[in-house]
C-alpha cells in the first residue's frame, strides 16, 4: 500500500487508493488478534501485475494555479507532489473551494478529481500553488 499524497476529506479524487476506515479497523482487529494465517484453500493466486498503477494525466491543458485567476477554469486533476499543506480557491463572492490538502508523503502523481471543479475568473488561489490539468 503506497502512501496517498492527499489528506482525506479535502478534495474528492477518483483514483484515491487509500484504505477506508472500515478496512483499517478490520486490519487492526486482525493484528490485535494475533494475525492468524487463515485457511489455505482461500488463498488467492499471486497477481501477474502490480496492484498499484498511477492514474494517467487526463487530457487537457496543464497550468500552474497560483495567485488571482484571470479567467475561469474547469479543473480535472492536480499534481500531488511538493510541500505539505492545504490549497483552496477563494471566490470573489466569499465562497471557498477546497482543491487539495497535500500530506508531503506518497509518490508524485496525478490526483484525478471525481467531479471537475469550476473556478470562476477572479478567484484567488490560497495556501500555495499547484499544477492542474484544466479544460
Amino acid at each position: 500500500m503506497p502512501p496517498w499524497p492527499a489528506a482525506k476529506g479535502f478534495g474528492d479524487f477518483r483514483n484515491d487508493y487509500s484504505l477506508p476506515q472500515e478496512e483499517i479497523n478490520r486490519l487492526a482487529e486482525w493484528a490485535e488478534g494475533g494475525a492468524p494465517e487463515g485457511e489455505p484453500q482461500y488463498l488467492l493466486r499471486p497477481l501477474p501485475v502490480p496492484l498499484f498503477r498511477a492514474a494517467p494525466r487526463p487530457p487537457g491543458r496543464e497550468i500552474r494555479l497560483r495567485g488571482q485567476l484571470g479567467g475561469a477554469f474547469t479543473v480535472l486533476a492536480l499534481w500531488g507532489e511538493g510541500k505539505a499543506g492545504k490549497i483552496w480557491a477563494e471566490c470573489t463572492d466569499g465562497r471557498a473551494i477546497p482543491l487539495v490538502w497535500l500530506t508531503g508523503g506518497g509518490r508524485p502523481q496525478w490526483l484525478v478529481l471525481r467531479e471537475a471543479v469550476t473556478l470562476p475568473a477572479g478567484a484567488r488561489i490560497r495556501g500555495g500553488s499547484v499544477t492542474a490539468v484544466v479544460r
Side-chain angles (χ1 to χ4, degrees):
M1 290 182 301
W4 176 248
K8 286 267 190 208
F10 198 93
D12 188 19
F13 302 100
R14 231 183 2 208
N15 60 325
D16 180 354
Y17 52 80
S18 59
L19 293 176
Q21 190 59 47
E22 177 183 299
E23 291 181 19
I24 293 170
N25 294 346
R26 187 176 306 140
L27 285 171
E29 289 171 9
W30 172 74
E32 290 168 3
E37 189 171 317
E39 299 296 324
Q41 72 228 31
Y42 298 117
L43 287 175
L44 299 174
R45 290 187 315 241
L47 297 174
V49 294
L51 288 174
F52 172 75
R53 284 199 181 143
R57 177 193 178 283
R61 199 166 43 122
E62 195 173 307
I63 65 168
R64 190 79 178 159
L65 293 177
R66 66 174 164 243
Q68 189 165 0
L69 303 179
F73 294 100
T74 300
V75 180
L76 306 174
L78 302 163
W79 182 245
E81 83 166 328
K83 295 180 180 177
K86 295 179 187 178
I87 300 172
W88 70 98
E90 194 176 88
C91 301
T92 55
D93 62 5
R95 290 180 301 132
I97 300 172
L99 295 174
V100 65
W101 183 351
L102 296 172
T103 62
R107 63 171 37 155
Q109 62 185 288
W110 285 106
L111 307 173
V112 183
L113 293 163
R114 193 170 304 282
E115 292 184 30
V117 173
T118 300
L119 303 178
R124 185 169 291 281
I125 303 302
R126 300 288 191 188
S129 64
V130 66
T131 301
V133 173
V134 299
R135 64 169 177 233

